[in-house]
Amino acid sequence: MVTEAELAGRVKRLDQFVADQIAAGEVVERPASIVKELIENCLDAQASSIEVRTEGGGSDLVWVRDDGRGMVAEDLNLALERHATSKISSAEDLLGVASLGFRGEALASVASVARVVLTSKDAASTQGARIEVHGGKLLSQAPVAANTGTTVEVRDLFFNTPARRKFLKTDRTETAQIDMLVRRLSLAHMDVAFKLRQAGAKRELVLPSAAVEERLSRVLGPDFIDESIQIDEARDEYRLHGWVGLPNHNRRQTDQQYFYVNGRAISDKLVGHAVRQAYSDVMFHGRHPVFVLFFELPQSAVDVNVHPTKHEVRFRDARAVHDFIFASMHRALRDVRPSAGLDEATGPGPAKAQLFSNTNFSNSNFPNTNAGRQIPLATGEPALHRELPGGFAQMVAEAEPEFLQSDDVPTANQEIPPLGYAIAQLHGVYILAQNEQGLVLVDMHAAHERVTYEKLKSQLDGEIARQRLLVPIMLDVSERDAQLVEELQAEFQEELQRCGLVMERAGLTSVAIREIPALLHERNVAATAKDLIAEFANYGTSDELQRRELDLLASMACHGSVRANRKLSIAEMNALLRDMEQTENAGLCNHGRPTYFQQSIDDLDRLFARGQ
Ligand code: ADP
Ligand code: MG
């Protein structure tokens, strides 16, 4: 006799239920993964129109109907079995998978953790068939009247594994996730019509087929088409086509990056790297490009059988793929650069400014890199500050720069403030100033960002001073973002107001901003608001929001701050220097980069080897 204790350490075969649950766990991570698998099946069945409905964020119901080729009655049973597929039949087939599915386990996995009803009819049959399976157990099977195509109904996800049900995210999160997923899949299949109706979502998503521009604008916002360039590059067996967002059409998050390999939405480190590299010298650090790109290569050059969710692929020649993607995008971006963002009327556009973002001096040129942080901050009111009561922020906010004469600079007998007086502006990026020790070099954007941030922060104890706009700023956003604003309004109105922002949804893809922090200039609010919406999307709860308030302020400050390449008058520059002296942490911008360097006359002498 074997005792129970001995048995405990022995190898046993798992019973079918446990084995199924483990397998299902890989495919059915959350309701959105069911929607993905079901839609992929429709696409594989050549559907021209796909309709999706959900309830309870998909955990109560996922319903998907297509008008694809359907199945014959005998196949319904098989379709629900594990490792049963019509898409491949041999191991060699695995090397050239052209369909989205091929593992034959999606339906089986879903059926083992939910109540599934499958109805289908192929074009040759006069009657359809219906099969009902609960937690993997067959309940009924019968002929039924049906149109050609397939309908799958999935109810009560994880009803037989309550422990997993507890791990489901809130309905709202899932609803949003499903919405995003459908949009993502729809981009790769412009010739297929999609319809998504979710209980709990205010609107239905209707994407008619073939309306490419409309689809792009519904997913990426109406300005994307104008703010992007269309590319189509081919070399040897590779082709890359789609839309590449202009560098100034960037985002704080990577949430608008769509990359498809042979029609399959994937996320891939290698691809990500190639893209980042292509944008690297035209994009601010910490910002992310927007793009929709389709990469096509022979099926045999890519392995899609890497992961059950098929989000990843492996390229046969990773290096060549990387280089091709990088080169194609780099070329496209290089071609647009000279004309981008040179709009004189509104000052230089961000694209131009970004060109300068990498123009930082290497530390080796400046032996004394930390000196900036050691400058004592002024106590008491510096002379010029008194003459400019609103400080630099006010000046930037209120007026286009007027050019003051150099006699605004105080005379020699006045006490020189720690950061000295401005002499000139260099390349629209740096302020050159002279103080007692020698030369002060200020990164004006970084410095202003820090000043604005600290001011906003100091107001946060109460509520940030708001300014009501006479004419609201209308913002074009993606439909998803507009929806978010609508939800935010309902749930986080107070938090938003505390941050100084009052906005509301104004239409399907538009948002109206009615009040803004008094410290920010109207001009910069659009970009700020877009960032904030993207961030709110990630926080979800007001607790989290409160914890992130400082992040939000930092992001507002970043946009609210004077951009590189903006011409400043000497008076404005001096005002900024005075503001910096009064600001805590003025030596570093919010991203931890220095805001200024001090070069003493001695340092300069040494640089020129004087007196040696
Ligand atoms: P896979 O897609 O990997 O083959 P699934 O479990 O998703 O595996 O589906 C099993 C089989 O059921 C498919 O190979 C296909 O033959 C059939 N099937 C599933 N969904 C549909 C559909 N919407 N229309 C037609 N056939 C379908
Ligand atoms: Mg499938």
Side-chain angles (χ1 to χ4, degrees), residues 455-610:
K455 280 187 182 164
L456 286 170
K457 214 166 73 177
S458 70
Q459 290 184 355
L460 194 62
D461 283 342
E463 206 173 76
I464 289 178
R466 293 197 303 273
Q467 159 196 357
R468 198 174 169 79
L469 300 172
L470 284 177
V471 182
I473 299 175
M474 301 303 289
L475 208 60
D476 282 337
V477 297
S478 72
E479 206 177 316
R480 174 181 155 246
D481 284 354
Q483 194 131 352
L484 250 160
V485 169
E486 193 173 336
E487 286 163 19
L488 284 170
Q489 237 170 280
E491 290 173 48
F492 303 127
Q493 202 181 15
E494 241 170 75
E495 283 79 6
L496 270 172
Q497 248 171 47
R498 264 172 65 79
C499 293
L501 214 55
V502 176
M503 56 182 169
E504 65 192 33
R505 186 176 196 166
L508 190 63
T509 58
S510 67
V511 167
I513 302 172
R514 305 202 176 278
E515 293 179 41
I516 61 172
L519 274 173
L520 298 191
H521 191 282
E522 269 186 52
R523 204 172 31 219
N524 305 312
V525 165
T528 312
K530 279 190 186 173
D531 272 4
L532 289 185
I533 296 168
E535 282 182 33
F536 282 131
N538 289 347
Y539 298 166
T541 68
S542 68
D543 265 11
E544 182 74 350
L545 242 167
Q546 259 160 5
R547 251 181 314 206
R548 302 295 192 99
E549 241 160 26
L550 290 182
D551 291 357
L552 296 178
L553 292 190
S555 132
M556 283 201 241
C558 177
H559 284 295
S561 301
V562 57
R563 288 285 152 185
N565 224 24
R566 165 124 142 63
K567 265 211 173 122
L568 297 183
S569 67
I570 295 283
E572 283 179 313
M573 291 188 246
N574 279 326
L576 176 57
L577 294 175
R578 302 295 78 82
D579 273 353
M580 286 173 71
E581 286 159 352
Q582 298 217 315
T583 301
E584 263 178 70
N585 308 315
L588 293 176
C589 81
N590 304 338
H591 309 299
R593 293 189 298 265
T595 54
Y596 68 97
F597 285 107
Q598 166 83 59
Q599 286 289 289
S600 69
I601 290 290
D602 283 351
D603 291 338
L604 293 171
D605 284 350
R606 254 196 307 278
L607 210 56
F608 291 101
R610 268 176 78 135

Side-chain angles (χ1 to χ4, degrees), residues 41-42 44-45 66 70-71 79 84-87 101-108 150:
N41 281 346
C42 308
D44 281 344
D66 69 58
M71 283 176 270
T85 178
S86 57
K87 298 168 193 174
F102 57 88
R103 303 172 59 101
E105 54 183 15
L107 286 182
T150 305

Side-chain angles (χ1 to χ4, degrees), residues 123-179:
S125 309
T126 49
Q127 212 172 26
R130 178 183 189 275
I131 181 171
E132 186 161 3
V133 175
H134 288 189
K137 289 193 193 62
L138 178 69
L139 242 73
S140 70
Q141 183 164 20
V144 65
N147 292 328
T148 300
T150 305
T151 306
V152 184
E153 186 184 300
V154 180
R155 284 190 187 277
D156 304 329
L157 179 61
F158 299 139
F159 79 98
N160 53 350
T161 46
R164 286 204 69 189
R165 211 177 154 93
K166 287 204 191 85
F167 280 95
L168 287 174
K169 296 259 167 36
T170 63
D171 290 3
R172 209 186 83 173
T173 312
E174 277 311 305
T175 304
Q177 196 73 30
I178 291 168
D179 185 86

Side-chain angles (χ1 to χ4, degrees), residues 384 387 402-412 414 421-424 569-574:
L384 255 181
E387 297 163 26
E402 44 182 288
F403 291 90
L404 303 179
Q405 300 307 307
S406 53
D407 56 23
D408 287 327
V409 177
T411 51
Q414 268 179 281
Y421 295 114
I423 307 166
S569 67
I570 295 283
E572 283 179 313
M573 291 188 246
N574 279 326

